[in-house]
Amino acid sequence: MSILRKSSKKVSSRRQINIKGVKDGILMLPKHEYRAIIEVSSLNFELKSEDEQDILIDTYEGFLNSLPCPLQIIVRIRELDMSKYLTDLKLRLEDEKEDIYIEQLKNYSQFVGNLVADNRILSRRFYIVLPFSAKGGDFEAVKEQLKINVDIVNKGLTRLGMHTRRLASLEMLDLFHSFYNPEQAKRQAITESVLRLVNSSYIKGEKI
């Protein structure tokens, strides 16, 4: 089951996700389940030549055969909030002294404003979730195994010409925050204090 799938029941985000904690870039779930998340760049397959496409297909087949564990692919599509960007442009315009740059900033600000008014500006981000199950509670062993799995996946994707970056603890929590509370996430980012709160508090009565 997707770790980012929303529940139809009206319960808290914490109960929907069932997060036990986030530590050292590892999502800790109940029943000794753990997850690492990698952000991956996109690859425009259609712009490649036929020979390049054949090479990519063969390389991708080799990558799938080398996987150390199952994985989940997430495509995150979000509407960008351009208000801050437009505000920054306005401030730059107010501070600019050169007439030529003032005119350029005015034209560009108007262009961006019209573009945003008529279109939804979307961003797409791609993530790979790597799971790991442990019978015992040895977190260091879990950490080492997930690191090995992440390295294998990173190397395979690099051979495909893609860039990868493993999410840190705060970034993982922010990803869930933006998924379950998109409007609040625009106004208030996740901080280290929230991360410490998640790791120090548990759902009462829940079996871990």
Side-chain angles (χ1 to χ4, degrees), residues 118-190:
D118 297 333
N119 302 276
R120 296 173 62 199
I121 310 300
L122 303 177
S123 70
R124 288 177 174 82
R125 292 192 174 185
F126 306 89
Y127 302 93
I128 289 180
V129 181
L130 301 180
F132 184 72
S133 300
K135 294 181 179 180
D138 187 351
F139 182 77
E140 289 303 316
V142 170
K143 183 177 176 180
E144 181 61 26
Q145 186 59 56
L146 275 174
K147 182 180 182 300
I148 293 172
N149 293 350
V150 167
D151 287 344
I152 293 173
V153 172
N154 281 342
K155 289 177 182 177
L157 293 174
T158 299
R159 285 195 290 269
L160 288 165
M162 304 170 79
H163 300 287
T164 65
R165 186 178 66 87
R166 182 174 177 178
L167 297 191
S169 297
L170 199 60
E171 293 174 308
M172 296 177 75
L173 200 58
D174 188 63
L175 178 62
F176 284 98
H177 181 51
S178 65
F179 186 84
Y180 283 88
N181 303 287
E183 293 304 320
Q184 183 182 356
K186 292 179 182 178
R187 302 188 300 269
Q188 183 179 12
I190 291 292

Side-chain angles (χ1 to χ4, degrees), residues 8-131:
S8 60
K9 297 180 180 180
K10 293 184 178 181
V11 295
S12 69
S13 298
R14 178 76 179 268
R15 286 188 177 276
Q16 287 189 46
I17 308 170
N18 230 4
I19 289 179
K20 180 180 175 183
V22 186
K23 181 180 179 183
D24 296 339
I26 297 174
L27 184 69
M28 298 181 290
L29 304 176
K31 300 180 181 179
H32 304 296
E33 291 285 337
Y34 303 88
R35 302 290 187 271
I37 302 179
I38 305 170
E39 185 176 5
V40 185
S41 67
S42 60
L43 183 68
N44 199 323
F45 185 78
E46 296 298 328
L47 293 181
K48 303 292 183 181
S49 68
E50 187 174 339
D51 288 341
E52 288 174 324
Q53 288 181 353
D54 289 339
I55 292 173
L56 280 174
I57 291 172
D58 290 340
T59 305
Y60 185 62
E61 182 180 357
F63 165 69
L64 293 178
N65 290 331
S66 69
L67 288 177
C69 61
L71 56 79
Q72 174 190 351
I73 299 174
I74 297 170
V75 181
R76 185 82 168 96
I77 302 176
R78 298 183 64 189
E79 183 175 357
L80 292 179
D81 183 5
M82 300 294 290
S83 58
K84 185 179 183 304
Y85 183 66
L86 290 171
T87 300
D88 289 342
L89 285 178
K90 183 180 179 180
L91 293 175
R92 286 179 59 188
L93 181 59
E94 292 174 353
D95 293 338
E96 186 55 60
K97 306 302 181 184
E98 298 290 336
D99 290 340
I100 184 172
Y101 295 128
I102 289 175
E103 189 63 26
Q104 289 178 349
L105 280 170
K106 282 183 178 179
N107 292 336
Y108 181 66
S109 298
Q110 184 178 4
F111 168 75
V112 174
N114 292 337
L115 183 66
V116 173
D118 297 333
N119 302 276
R120 296 173 62 199
I121 310 300
L122 303 177
S123 70
R124 288 177 174 82
R125 292 192 174 185
F126 306 89
Y127 302 93
I128 289 180
V129 181
L130 301 180

